[in-house]
Amino acid sequence: MIMTGTMWEIDDAHGGIRVEDVYDTDIADLWQACTDPARLERWIAKVDGDLRPGGVLDATFTSTWTGRMRIDVCDAPRHLVLTQQPGTDEETVIEAWLQEEGARTRLIVEERGLGSGVLHFHAAGWQVHLEDLGLSLRHADPAHPGGWSSQQPAEAWRSRWEELIPDYAQVRAG
């Protein structure tokens, strides 16, 4: 099993994860896939709200995560920072960087502030999200044509996530 994510401790209670992949598309197209609501819905989340820095979005991810997100930094087409559940005990920060590599583009995603005991679940989930992004870039159809909701994850997302969890858990256990 190829794992593309890493996990680390921030303090006794919190940690972070990082995943990355390289895509056969230019930086402008990948930026649009990561910021345009219609493109996001093809692979990761349904979003609605104020799409400017400082703006707040409501999102429902293919994983079922549902909540508020604030756009903290939007430096097109290279850097995006979002705060999930801002101002709550569940607050995390998602940071994405896009880097040109010839005709291809690397996407690096970190999520920080996660509970230390659940890092392997999030690392596996973000790996699946990035794999789904690759599918959405290669095909005109959405990665999850059957849809998802806040109660029901996208079926293919859930299956792949469940497949990856044991490997990430083993890495966490050392």
Side-chain angles (χ1 to χ4, degrees):
M1 178 84 45
I2 296 174
M3 296 187 313
T4 62
T6 57
M7 302 164 279
W8 69 90
E9 300 293 328
I10 294 172
D11 58 33
D12 290 341
H14 300 94
I17 63 96
R18 178 185 179 117
V19 291
E20 61 184 276
D21 206 344
V22 179
Y23 300 96
D24 291 324
T25 193
D26 63 51
I27 196 168
D29 183 52
L30 189 58
W31 180 260
Q32 285 298 308
C34 293
T35 59
D36 177 80
R39 298 280 302 271
L40 287 165
E41 192 167 346
R42 290 181 50 199
W43 66 279
I44 190 170
K46 300 170 188 170
V47 298
D48 184 43
D50 185 354
L51 299 172
R52 298 171 295 167
V56 176
L57 309 171
D58 292 308
T60 301
F61 279 64
T62 55
S63 62
T64 71
W65 183 90
T66 301
R68 295 230 155 179
M69 302 177 79
R70 182 185 63 231
I71 301 171
D72 298 321
V73 175
C74 184
D75 182 17
R78 301 193 183 280
H79 189 217
L80 183 65
V81 181
L82 306 168
T83 299
Q84 284 188 314
Q85 304 290 45
T88 72
D89 291 341
E90 302 298 316
E91 181 177 295
T92 65
V93 174
I94 299 171
E95 190 161 8
W97 298 270
L98 286 76
Q99 301 170 346
E100 293 172 293
E101 295 188 3
R104 304 173 81 202
T105 307
R106 178 177 301 275
L107 174 63
I108 303 164
V109 177
E110 287 186 1
E111 186 170 4
R112 299 181 298 274
L114 299 162
S116 292
V118 297
L119 295 177
H120 59 291
F121 293 114
H122 289 272
W126 274 106
Q127 178 172 332
V128 180
H129 289 320
L130 267 58
E131 290 172 0
D132 289 344
L133 171 58
L135 286 173
S136 80
L137 292 169
R138 289 189 302 274
H139 306 287
D141 297 325
H144 302 288
W148 68 90
S149 71
S150 60
Q151 290 82 37
Q152 182 66 38
E155 185 58 36
W157 183 92
R158 186 184 57 117
S159 294
R160 178 68 172 136
W161 176 69
E162 289 174 347
E163 180 183 342
L164 289 169
I165 288 171
D167 293 322
Y168 277 102
Q170 185 174 22
V171 168
R172 276 299 284 157

